[in-house]
Amino acid sequence: MKRVLITVLLVLSLFYTGLMACTDILVGKLASVDGSVIVSQTVDGTYDSRILIVPAADHEPGSMTPVWEWIVYADRMPLVQLGEIPQVEHTYQYFLHSYPFGNEKGLLMGETTQGGARATANSPDAIMTIEQLQAFALQRTDNARDAILLMGALAEEYGYRESCNLGECITLADGKEAWMFEIYGVGPLWKPGDGPGAVWAAQRVPDDHISMNGNSSMIGEIDLTTNRPPNVDEDHFLICDNYLDTAIELGLYDPASGEPFVWKYVYGNMKGRWNPRLWRVFSTFNPSGNWPYDKTDDYPFSVKPDNLVSVYDVIDIYRDVMAGTPHDMVANEAWLYTNTRGETVKSGLASPQPGAEFRNLLGIPSVRNIAVQSTSSFFICQTRDWLPPEIGAVVWFGLGNSHKAVVVPLFCANTSVPESWKIVNRSDPKIDRNAAFWAFYTVDRVSGVRYQVMMPLVEAVRKPLQERIYRMQPAVEATALALYEVDRDLAVEYLTQYTSSLMLEVEAAYWELLDTLLLKLP
């Protein structure tokens, strides 16, 4: 009877309005060129791209703290309080964003939504969205394992609540380890007191491996005797106690079938699905693997890269638009025409990110690139345990389309950012020249009109800026470390001012670039 009720509720429920489109990449410390642990994210969709810094705070014993909904859209709609939980004595400073991404202790995060089995749709009584879980973890923990256990415990007690799609993945780094945490609901009939209100599992990326999650569950087979994947150390896997019972109760797995329990098929609903971004990342960093292009559902959780990976390599792949692949949209012959001299030429409109109207008009097959025009923000989080977290934990942060934007180093102990990076309202159809987001967004949109003509102009601004920022980074960090050894607060002030100056510089450069591009419109 319970299964019938679940089916009825799912049929009657609305489908989700959020865009399932973020891409996360992870790098273990022995897979990187310098021992960095890296996690990253593109925030693809119309989400809150403001950078808000919530300071550390002490709290009265016995006090409570609210649980909020709509953190992801807080730039344009009021938060709704869903409940409250006991507050802790002290909370850390952290970056509040559509998806919070780092705290002062060097704990860094990325997020990506995941499709999943419809039976896992959450109960209306569940209150813990993934972005609220991230915020609590960043306030209360300083390492990936503790963050995972806290998020899992809160979701079990208060119920996991979807904000954008059925499932979620959080990628975590703490200077020593990189982890992938996946979570789903337990069905629409759950109520507080019924038992766990979520199912979750987390797997550590081996130190010498890389991994990625592009809206597709990556956790594979789980041995039902050991409760972990075969050949994975007990210390490298965490999972809720109810994962098997919930799957059986929701009709997602039958123990009598003799089939292996494959998490990404049972909960992730990924059997037979193709993910071009997964192929792109694995084939870029591990080309010797000869990864099949059109079948990715049985790829392993992680892979050892052929060459050590730098944080700049990860930033670079976030600019990827599938050039040189069967789905290179700019190379499609539909862009070719014969000019008045009888020469076959490529249209100046040819773009690797054409809109739907161009694709429909010209018959160009669409593919999901890593870099997309819908991106609100993106960040590549790098943490190094041999440096103080004030210096070693840095978020390479960009606004808008990652194919065209500049990233700036945002240190996790920074105490402020320019006002223009703290404001935006995506529901307002007007361009606000006081908000940095619009500089990058409008450059992207305008340059896409005549990509072949305008992209070189974008690169002429972006590349020198980005390369200079990269060249300066070792000297900036060395200066900060020297200051830190004398006065920690002085080092933080120096890094805060440095990041702010870069943000204002790249913002101004993109407003000027926009004016140049406008004169190139047809």
Side-chain angles (χ1 to χ4, degrees), residues 494-509:
Y494 165 73
L495 292 173
T496 298
Q497 291 179 357
Y498 176 69
T499 295
S500 294
S501 68
L502 286 184
M503 287 178 163
L504 292 172
E505 181 184 3
V506 298
E507 176 189 348

Side-chain angles (χ1 to χ4, degrees), residues 96-159:
L96 179 60
H97 195 64
S98 52
Y99 296 99
F101 53 78
N103 71 13
E104 62 177 305
K105 297 298 183 180
L107 174 62
L108 303 175
M109 293 185 180
E111 174 278 346
T112 179
T113 57
Q114 294 184 163
R118 291 292 303 168
T120 66
N122 70 251
S123 159
D125 293 311
I127 66 172
M128 284 289 174
T129 64
I130 199 65
E131 57 273 14
Q132 180 65 90
L133 288 171
Q134 287 182 272
F136 283 144
L138 290 169
Q139 290 171 0
R140 301 175 179 211
T141 66
D142 60 7
N143 65 85
R145 290 172 184 265
D146 286 349
I148 289 165
L149 293 172
L150 176 66
M151 291 189 291
L154 289 175
E156 287 184 42
E157 182 173 357
Y158 297 99

Side-chain angles (χ1 to χ4, degrees), residues 332-392:
N332 194 285
E333 292 183 356
W335 297 111
L336 303 179
Y337 70 95
T338 303
N339 64 16
T340 55
R341 294 188 295 273
E343 301 166 328
T344 300
V345 296
K346 180 177 291 185
S347 169
L349 305 176
S351 168
Q353 299 172 317
E357 289 194 16
F358 270 129
R359 295 197 307 271
N360 294 336
L361 178 66
L362 300 175
I364 298 174
S366 177
V367 69
R368 173 58 166 86
N369 295 327
I370 294 174
V372 292
Q373 290 181 312
S374 64
T375 299
S376 294
S377 62
F378 63 104
F379 36 90
I380 296 83
C381 303
Q382 174 190 23
T383 181
R384 296 154 292 179
D385 66 352
W386 64 91
L387 291 169
E390 292 86 347
I391 302 166

Side-chain angles (χ1 to χ4, degrees), residues 248-491:
I248 295 170
E249 182 178 0
L250 295 179
L252 301 177
Y253 180 73
D254 179 6
S257 68
E259 294 292 322
F261 188 101
V262 182
W263 175 277
K264 63 183 176 182
Y265 299 161
V266 173
Y267 284 114
N269 198 28
M270 296 313 301
K271 185 69 173 176
R273 306 224 177 176
W274 175 59
N275 190 318
R277 288 169 285 160
L278 178 57
W279 172 83
R280 191 57 156 169
V281 171
F282 274 35
S283 63
T284 297
F285 292 130
N286 178 246
S288 64
N290 296 315
W291 303 97
Y293 181 73
D294 56 356
K295 180 174 171 50
T296 60
D297 65 339
D298 58 356
Y299 278 23
F301 172 76
S302 63
V303 65
K304 185 174 181 178
D306 287 1
N307 298 294
L308 296 180
V309 177
S310 74
V311 68
Y312 307 123
D313 294 329
V314 179
I315 295 169
D316 192 54
I317 200 169
Y318 273 109
R319 307 192 192 283
D320 188 79
V321 287
M322 297 291 279
T325 75
H327 280 86
D328 182 349
M329 287 186 278
V330 78
N332 194 285
E333 292 183 356
W335 297 111
L336 303 179
Y337 70 95
T338 303
N339 64 16
T340 55
R341 294 188 295 273
E343 301 166 328
T344 300
V345 296
K346 180 177 291 185
S347 169
L349 305 176
S351 168
Q353 299 172 317
E357 289 194 16
F358 270 129
R359 295 197 307 271
N360 294 336
L361 178 66
L362 300 175
I364 298 174
S366 177
V367 69
R368 173 58 166 86
N369 295 327
I370 294 174
V372 292
Q373 290 181 312
S374 64
T375 299
S376 294
S377 62
F378 63 104
F379 36 90
I380 296 83
C381 303
Q382 174 190 23
T383 181
R384 296 154 292 179
D385 66 352
W386 64 91
L387 291 169
E390 292 86 347
I391 302 166
V394 57
V395 178
W396 295 88
F397 187 91
L399 288 170
N401 186 350
S402 58
H403 183 53
K404 301 174 184 176
V406 173
V407 292
V408 297
L410 177 62
F411 294 85
C412 283
N414 285 10
T415 56
S416 67
V417 296
E419 189 67 23
S420 57
W421 291 68
K422 296 189 291 184
I423 57 172
V424 72
N425 182 348
R426 297 284 299 280
S427 66
D428 189 339
K430 301 174 185 176
I431 294 174
D432 181 1
R433 290 213 175 215
N434 294 312
F437 170 82
W438 289 107
F440 300 96
Y441 183 85
T442 49
V443 161
D444 173 43
R445 292 293 166 163
V446 172
S447 63
V449 175
R450 296 180 69 202
Y451 179 87
Q452 296 296 315
V453 174
M454 294 187 177
M455 191 59 192
L457 300 176
V458 173
E459 291 289 78
V461 172
R462 185 190 69 78
K463 280 190 172 182
L465 269 174
Q466 193 69 82
E467 289 171 0
R468 178 167 57 81
I469 292 170
Y470 291 166
R471 289 196 305 271
M472 286 290 293
Q473 190 69 4
V476 169
E477 291 180 356
T479 301
L481 186 58
L483 290 171
Y484 183 90
E485 291 170 352
V486 176
D487 186 330
R488 181 260 183 198
D489 291 343
L490 191 60

Side-chain angles (χ1 to χ4, degrees), residues 153-288:
L154 289 175
E156 287 184 42
E157 182 173 357
Y158 297 99
Y160 163 71
R161 185 182 188 90
E162 304 144 30
S163 56
C164 291
N165 210 282
L166 284 161
E168 287 282 357
C169 172
I170 300 299
T171 54
L172 306 96
D174 61 13
K176 292 181 171 60
E177 302 175 344
W179 284 79
M180 195 179 296
F181 168 84
E182 297 188 13
I183 187 168
Y184 293 91
V186 295
L189 299 182
W190 178 85
K191 292 185 178 301
D194 282 354
V199 288
W200 60 270
Q203 187 166 344
R204 181 181 173 185
V205 177
D207 288 340
D208 59 349
H209 277 212
I210 62 100
S211 187
M212 73 88 65
N213 190 308
N215 311 121
S216 302
S217 174
M218 290 294 291
I219 295 175
E221 180 180 350
I222 297 173
D223 185 317
L224 300 181
T225 301
T226 63
N227 297 318
R228 64 179 185 270
N231 303 315
V232 171
D233 292 343
E234 182 179 4
D235 195 43
H236 286 196
F237 195 75
L238 299 166
I239 194 166
C240 62
D241 293 335
N242 59 301
Y243 79 93
L244 180 58
D245 290 343
T246 298
I248 295 170
E249 182 178 0
L250 295 179
L252 301 177
Y253 180 73
D254 179 6
S257 68
E259 294 292 322
F261 188 101
V262 182
W263 175 277
K264 63 183 176 182
Y265 299 161
V266 173
Y267 284 114
N269 198 28
M270 296 313 301
K271 185 69 173 176
R273 306 224 177 176
W274 175 59
N275 190 318
R277 288 169 285 160
L278 178 57
W279 172 83
R280 191 57 156 169
V281 171
F282 274 35
S283 63
T284 297
F285 292 130
N286 178 246
S288 64

